[in-house]
Amino acid sequence: MNDRPATSLPAVDRAAADAFWAAYSAAHPSAAAGAPEYTVEYFGDSPRLADQLLRAVTHGPKRATAELVDAYVAGGDLLPRIGGHWIACDGTGRPAAILRTTDLRLATFDEVDEAFAYDEGEDDRTLESWRREHRRYWTRTCAARGATWSEQDEIVCERFTVVWPPELADEPTSHER
């Protein structure tokens, strides 16, 4: 139940996130019991980017995300696990969606493929734009924490589904119907 802080983002609304989780847990008790830990965090490193990427999840095609292993370590967080949950907040720190991890793999920058770039659902969904934008992002975020980004750094490539709130949730799997 870690909150990964970001320097240019406001604190998350922990009480609202806990209430959001309680509502999801009541509606999906076995999913919540099978992976009861969750993180509360943002996409991106600014309120504007958090809102933009969250919108790509809640009203668009974004069903994957990538983060450096070193960013998890720097934030004191463990790597995500399949079946785990995270509450994605908007740029003001309010919870907006609960995501559930469905696939994970570690890769270096040059090992990320076109299919993953497409699933991230950003820009024009090409590997070329994925590389351009993530190069910028990781150069900036590493510098902000006093590190230097390298294309050889390990990346957590994570795919997810939206599981809450019901009006935004992806098609339920057969065991949830």
Side-chain angles (χ1 to χ4, degrees), residues 28-37 81-85 100:
H28 301 280
S30 71
E37 70 285 347
R81 70 178 180 106
I82 293 175
H85 297 88
R100 190 164 192 203

Side-chain angles (χ1 to χ4, degrees), residues 10 18 22 24 32-33 36 45 54 66 71 88 98 108 116 121 132 146 157 162 167 170:
D18 290 344
Y24 169 73
D45 63 339
L54 180 62
I98 298 178
T108 59
F116 187 81
R132 180 186 63 246
C157 298
V162 178
E167 64 272 15
D170 294 336

Side-chain angles (χ1 to χ4, degrees), residues 17-166:
D18 290 344
F20 205 59
W21 176 256
Y24 169 73
S25 296
H28 301 280
S30 71
E37 70 285 347
Y38 59 92
T39 61
V40 182
E41 56 192 292
Y42 301 88
F43 286 100
D45 63 339
S46 69
R48 184 183 119 313
L49 187 56
D51 286 340
Q52 176 186 355
L53 295 176
L54 180 62
R55 177 116 180 116
V57 170
T58 61
H59 295 85
K62 184 173 179 60
R63 291 299 179 271
T65 194
E67 183 58 275
L68 299 175
V69 170
D70 287 347
Y72 287 98
V73 172
D77 295 324
L78 298 174
L79 298 183
R81 70 178 180 106
I82 293 175
H85 297 88
W86 59 291
I87 298 175
C89 294
D90 67 17
T92 68
R94 289 183 316 219
I98 298 178
L99 313 178
R100 190 164 192 203
T101 303
T102 59
D103 182 65
L104 290 165
R105 80 178 178 98
L106 296 176
T108 59
F109 192 73
D110 64 336
E111 292 171 333
V112 173
D113 59 22
E114 292 174 9
F116 187 81
Y118 186 83
D119 289 348
E120 266 213 69
E122 298 172 23
D123 301 313
D124 65 6
R125 301 179 80 176
T126 64
L127 183 57
E128 179 182 335
S129 71
W130 185 94
R131 286 185 174 156
R132 180 186 63 246
E133 296 306 316
H134 284 79
R135 183 178 282 118
R136 277 187 204 151
Y137 178 75
W138 287 323
T139 298
R140 179 177 73 242
T141 59
C142 285
R145 67 174 199 274
T148 302
W149 175 71
S150 163
E151 290 188 10
Q152 296 311 305
D153 289 348
E154 279 190 309
I155 300 165
V156 176
C157 298
E158 178 180 4
R159 286 184 169 91
F160 57 81
T161 59
V162 178
V163 296
W164 196 259

